[in-house]
Amino acid sequence: FSNWHCTLKRLLIPGLDTPQPNCSQCLSTSTPLSCLVFYVCVNVSLLSGVCLIVGTMIGSGIFISPKAVLLNTGAVGPCLLVWASCGLLSTLGALCYAELGTMITKSGGEYSYLMEGFGPVVAYLYSWTTAIVLKPSSFAIISLSFAKYAAAPFYPGCTPPLIVTKCLAAACILLITLVNCTSVRLASFVQNFFTAAKLMIIFVIVVSGLVMLAQGHTENFSNSFDGGSTSFGTIGLAFYNGLWAYDGWNQLNVITEELKNPYRNLPLAVLIGIPLVSACYVLVNVSYFTVMTTTEVLQSSAVAVTYGHRVLHPVSWIVPLFVVFSTFGSANGSCFTAGRLTYVAGREGHMVKILSYISLRRYTPAPALMFNGLLALFYSIPADIEVLINYFSFAQWAFYGLTALALIVMRFTRKDLPRPVRIPIVFAVLMVLISCYLVLAPIIDKPEMEYLYCTMFIFSGLVLYYPFVYRKVRWLNKYIEPITMHLQLLMEVVPPENVQ
C-alpha cells in the first residue's frame, strides 16, 4: 500500500515529469501510468457488444411494461402494433447512432455527439440531466423490478412488504456497483452470463406460448382492435412504456472507445441485437395473450409470474428466478454505461474532476460508478416505477431527438468528418419528428406540472454552468483541491492521460 500511496502523491505534485506510455507498453512495462490507458487495453468484442445491447435492452421492461402498454392502447391489436413499432423506432434510432458512432469514435454516446453538433452548452445540459437523473433513476427502476420479482416467491398471493423490496433493490445496486468497480472484465463476464440466462427465459416463454397458440388458444386475438384507444396522448404514453422496455439500443455508443474495430462491430452489433430483441418482445406479448385476457393482464401484479403459473406448473418457479437474472443483467449493463458517461463528462470539465479519475489497481472509472450508484440508492427510496418511467422517457426522448438533429446539422457543418456508415438523411428526419411527438403528445393531451418541473430541472443546470464551467471561478479551487486530493488517496484513483 505504501508504494501505491507514494505513487499517488508523486502524481499529485504539479510539474512532475512522467512518461507517456502507449498501448503496446501497457502490459509490458511496470510504470504506474500504464494503467491509465485502460480504454485502449480493455476492448469489447462483437459478441460482448451484442450481449451488451441485448442484455441491457432485455431487462425489467418486458416484464413490467406490457400492462402499461395495454392500459394505454385498450386492446390486444393496438398493443402488439405499439410493441412492433417501438422495435422499428429503436432500429431507426440505432442506425442514426451507428453513423454518429463511427463518425465520432469517442465514448460518451449522446454527450460526444451533442458536443460536436451544438457545442458545450447543450452537451453540458445532457450530461447534467443524464448523470444526475436519467441514468441513476434508470438504475433504480431496474433494481426495484429485480427486488419485486426476487421477493415474489416468498410472499405468494400478496404483495411483498415495501421495506423488503427497497432493501433488496439497495443490495442489488451495491453489488452491481462493486462488480463494475472491481473489473471491466468481470462486469463484461457478468453481462454475458446473465444475457444467456435472460434469453433462456424469453425462449421458454415464446416456445410455450407458440405451443399454446398451436393448440387453438386464439380467442383473445379475435376482434383484437375493438375498444382500442385513439387518444393522441395515451398512445404517446403507450410508446413511453414500450420504448422503456427497448431502452438500451444506444448503449454501445457510450463505450465506443472500448469497442474493438468500431467501424465494423458497431453497426453489426446494432443490426444483430435490436431485431433479435424486437422479435422476442412481440412474441412474448403474443404468448401472454394466448393464456390471459386483457382484464387478467391488467389485474396481474407480475405478468410473467402469472403466465408461468398458468402454463409451466409445476416448474413455474423458473419464471421469477430467470426474471431476477434478467433484471440483474440489465441493471449491470445500465451501471456499466452510466459510469462511462459520467467519466467522459468529468474528463471534459462538465462534472467535478474526481468523477473523471480511474483506479490505479482496477483500471475502472470507480468514482463515476460510485457516484451513479449513490444516486440510484437515493432514487430507489421513494420511487414509483410508472411515474419514473413517464418522466424518464419525456426527458430522454428530448435528447434523442436533439442527437438525431445533430446528425442532420453535421451533414452540412462537418462535411470533413469520415463517415464509414452513412444512412439516408430521411431516417434522421423521421427520428426528429417522432421524438417531437413523443415529447409533446402527453403534455398536449394531459398537461401536468411534473413535466414543467422536469423541464425546469434540465435548464437549471445553466445556473451551475456559467460560473463553474464557463467562467471557471478560481476561488473554489482552494476548497475543492484538498478534497480531491484526499479522495484520490482514499480511492487510489488518478487523472487519465491522453494516449496518442
Side-chain angles (χ1 to χ4, degrees):
F1 176 80
S2 61
N3 289 338
W4 287 105
H5 188 269
C6 291
T7 301
L8 279 165
K9 289 177 70 176
R10 292 180 68 250
L11 289 171
L12 291 169
I13 299 174
L16 184 66
D17 292 331
T18 54
Q20 296 290 330
N22 54 42
C23 188
S24 62
Q25 293 173 329
C26 182
L27 298 178
S28 61
T29 64
S30 59
T31 172
L33 284 178
S34 63
C35 68
L36 298 181
V37 291
F38 76 102
Y39 276 111
V40 179
C41 301
V42 182
N43 287 322
V44 178
S45 65
L46 174 61
L47 175 61
S48 292
V50 172
C51 286
L52 180 63
I53 291 175
V54 174
T56 306
M57 289 178 71
I58 300 179
S60 61
I62 189 57
F63 305 113
I64 65 174
S65 290
K67 184 166 68 172
V69 174
L70 179 60
L71 178 65
N72 287 291
T73 53
V76 173
C79 178
L80 294 178
L81 282 178
V82 166
W83 280 103
S85 300
C86 288
L88 290 174
L89 181 56
S90 298
T91 304
L92 187 69
L95 289 174
C96 295
Y97 275 54
E99 177 173 332
L100 288 165
T102 53
M103 180 172 64
I104 303 168
T105 55
K106 295 179 182 178
S107 290
E110 292 92 340
Y111 177 83
S112 298
Y113 313 145
L114 292 172
M115 176 73 79
E116 293 288 338
F118 299 118
V121 175
V122 177
Y124 170 80
L125 289 178
Y126 174 77
S127 65
W128 159 258
T129 307
T130 304
I132 303 298
V133 176
L134 297 185
K135 288 297 184 181
S137 64
S138 175
F139 194 9
I141 291 169
I142 300 170
S143 300
L144 286 165
S145 303
F146 161 86
K148 182 178 179 180
Y149 276 93
F154 300 98
Y155 297 91
C158 63
T159 303
L162 194 59
I163 186 66
V164 173
T165 56
K166 295 300 174 68
C167 288
L168 284 174
C172 174
I173 291 169
L174 291 173
L175 178 59
I176 289 174
T177 302
L178 177 63
V179 166
N180 280 268
C181 288
T182 300
S183 168
V184 175
R185 293 187 185 278
L186 177 59
S188 218
F189 171 78
V190 168
Q191 191 65 35
N192 293 352
F193 175 81
F194 283 102
T195 296
K198 68 180 66 181
L199 286 176
M200 186 179 298
I201 191 58
I202 292 291
F203 177 79
V204 169
I205 292 175
V206 168
V207 170
S208 60
L210 292 177
V211 169
M212 296 291 290
L213 196 64
Q215 292 174 351
H217 296 271
T218 59
E219 56 273 11
N220 292 329
F221 298 99
S222 59
N223 302 318
S224 58
F225 285 87
D226 291 350
S229 173
T230 57
S231 169
F232 185 74
T234 55
I235 294 298
L237 290 174
F239 270 95
Y240 273 3
N241 285 275
L243 289 167
W244 159 252
Y246 280 93
D247 193 63
W249 52 264
N250 61 328
Q251 295 302 292
L252 203 57
N253 290 69
V254 180
I255 57 165
T256 304
E257 291 177 38
E258 295 177 80
L259 183 65
K260 291 180 180 177
N261 192 6
Y263 298 136
R264 170 183 176 272
N265 289 343
L266 180 57
L268 269 181
V270 164
L271 292 174
I272 294 171
I274 297 177
L276 175 63
V277 173
S278 302
C280 288
Y281 279 4
V282 173
L283 290 173
V284 165
N285 278 275
V286 169
S287 298
Y288 289 157
F289 289 121
T290 57
V291 296
M292 288 184 281
T293 66
T294 55
T295 302
E296 289 170 334
V297 170
L298 293 175
Q299 290 177 346
S300 173
S301 60
V303 178
V305 172
T306 303
Y307 177 86
H309 286 313
R310 297 276 184 91
V311 179
L312 302 175
H313 188 77
V315 291
S316 58
W317 55 268
I318 68 171
V319 174
L321 176 63
F322 278 87
V323 170
V324 166
F325 288 166
S326 176
T327 50
F328 188 88
S330 182
N332 180 74
S334 176
C335 178
F336 186 87
T337 55
R340 273 62 186 172
L341 175 64
T342 308
Y343 161 85
V344 173
R347 187 175 64 182
E348 296 291 337
H350 287 178
M351 300 292 285
V352 291
K353 276 295 182 182
I354 189 68
L355 297 180
S356 70
Y357 292 1
I358 61 174
S359 171
L360 274 171
R361 291 180 180 272
R362 305 296 181 181
Y363 318 151
T364 59
L369 291 166
M370 293 177 188
F371 177 74
N372 181 64
L374 184 64
L375 288 178
L377 283 173
F378 174 76
Y379 289 128
S380 68
I381 296 172
D384 182 317
I385 291 180
E386 290 187 6
V387 172
L388 277 176
I389 288 174
N390 287 340
Y391 300 130
F392 169 89
S393 300
F394 165 77
Q396 187 67 76
W397 277 93
F399 285 111
Y400 285 160
L402 279 173
T403 305
L405 183 61
L407 174 60
I408 299 172
V409 169
M410 284 190 283
R411 283 286 182 92
F412 301 97
T413 61
R414 301 299 302 275
K415 294 180 180 180
D416 57 311
L417 290 175
R419 289 174 170 83
V421 175
R422 189 182 181 93
I423 64 165
I425 195 66
V426 67
F427 286 4
V429 173
L430 283 173
M431 188 68 178
V432 172
L433 294 176
I434 293 170
S435 298
C436 290
Y437 165 74
L438 290 173
V439 170
L440 296 176
I443 300 175
I444 294 172
D445 185 71
K446 187 180 179 182
E448 293 183 1
M449 290 300 295
E450 285 80 359
Y451 293 114
L452 177 62
Y453 297 152
C454 185
T455 304
M456 289 174 62
F457 175 82
I458 293 173
F459 286 100
S460 69
L462 294 174
V463 176
L464 298 176
Y465 177 82
Y466 181 76
F468 301 125
V469 179
Y470 182 74
R471 298 293 299 179
K472 300 184 186 299
V473 293
R474 296 182 179 180
W475 60 267
L476 277 178
N477 289 341
K478 64 179 181 180
Y479 301 107
I480 293 177
E481 288 180 356
I483 296 173
T484 301
M485 182 183 298
H486 284 90
L487 287 174
Q488 282 187 257
L489 294 172
L490 177 65
M491 294 187 287
E492 296 185 7
V493 294
V494 291
E497 296 291 330
N498 294 324
V499 182
Q500 302 298 331

